[in-house]
Amino acid sequence: MDRLLANGTVNAAQSGEGPPLFLFHSLLSDRASYDAIVPELQGSFRTIVPELPGFGRSRAVEGGLAAVADRMAEAVRDAAGGAPAIVLGNGYGGFVALQMAIRHPEIATRLILADSGAVFSEPGREAFRNMAKVSREKGLEAVTDVAMRRLFAPEFQTRHPELMQDRRAAFLRTDPDVFGSACDALAGLDLRAELAAVKVPVLVLVGEHDEATPPPMSHELAAGLPRAELKIIPGCAHVPQLQSPQQFLGALEGFLL
């Protein structure tokens, strides 16, 4: 069931009963990247999967990552209704969740940050600058191959052609202006000095073969957070919940499940 949050600006799918659990999707994907794990999670949680601002039917917001985080904080408060909330973010969704937790310390009781970080290396920053530039000049089609390589290893793409066709179509539905703005925001991001403000328990997850947000970023993130645990997910890349759902769910055991 879809519902509108944050004064009608954020669209989200909701299912199940229990404590509210929010799943924030990545920049190169959409909320369907959680479809394989929601059936398991909704048995224990009221699972809420929003479309981040500018994606799907959620309205875009100006003001960079901080404004996106503020909008999502409003959505979380709206949907949680005062109940303790857990937030899981993958990729861009992880950066949004982290920024949200820094700016709104009371917003979540636990965080899961999958394939995310606090800052990109200079090559990582340059990759986002290039994707923003090329997509603005030539359209999203011109960066689709690059985007898919950042999501999935080449051998995985070869073994799952139907999934890749679906993921390419999902990426091409992204608003080009929203994509460019998000790339700019990630290229300039550095949250390292603010990590100590996150006092809640955090599970940091990363795919062993993630090229978009490589494992050293997660190591640095976990080291900077006061109450963090780090788990590496073997054989996976940037969206482990899509690539290996049962392995991803297994990584949540002891922290969430």
Side-chain angles (χ1 to χ4, degrees), residues 33-73:
S33 63
Y34 289 109
D35 283 357
I37 66 169
V38 165
E40 178 79 20
L41 294 173
Q42 68 185 13
S44 302
F45 299 93
R46 181 159 57 92
T47 306
I48 301 147
V49 193
E51 294 172 315
L52 295 178
F55 291 80
R57 288 185 284 164
S58 294
R59 291 187 210 163
V61 60
E62 295 183 0
L65 197 68
V68 173
D70 289 348
R71 173 69 57 79
M72 293 313 299

Side-chain angles (χ1 to χ4, degrees), residues 196-216:
V198 181
K199 306 297 186 184
V200 299
V202 182
L203 176 61
V204 178
L205 302 176
V206 63
E208 176 188 15
H209 302 305
D210 187 352
E211 294 185 10
T213 49

Side-chain angles (χ1 to χ4, degrees), residues 6 12 31 35 39 65 79 104 138 149 158-159 185 189 210 228 238 244:
R31 70 180 187 183
D35 283 357
L65 197 68
H104 305 270
K138 301 180 181 179
R149 281 200 305 273
T158 301
R159 293 198 309 269
L189 186 75
D210 187 352
H238 190 60
S244 183

Side-chain angles (χ1 to χ4, degrees), residues 44-123:
S44 302
F45 299 93
R46 181 159 57 92
T47 306
I48 301 147
V49 193
E51 294 172 315
L52 295 178
F55 291 80
R57 288 185 284 164
S58 294
R59 291 187 210 163
V61 60
E62 295 183 0
L65 197 68
V68 173
D70 289 348
R71 173 69 57 79
M72 293 313 299
E74 186 180 356
V76 169
R77 289 192 190 96
D78 192 359
I86 304 167
V87 179
L88 186 161
N90 171 224
Y92 176 65
F95 290 101
V96 173
L98 178 59
Q99 179 77 286
M100 184 179 71
I102 291 168
R103 293 174 63 82
H104 305 270
E106 80 297 339
I107 199 70
T109 57
R110 285 178 176 259
L111 291 175
I112 301 103
L113 304 176
D115 299 84
S116 188
V119 65
F120 282 91
S121 65
E122 185 51 39

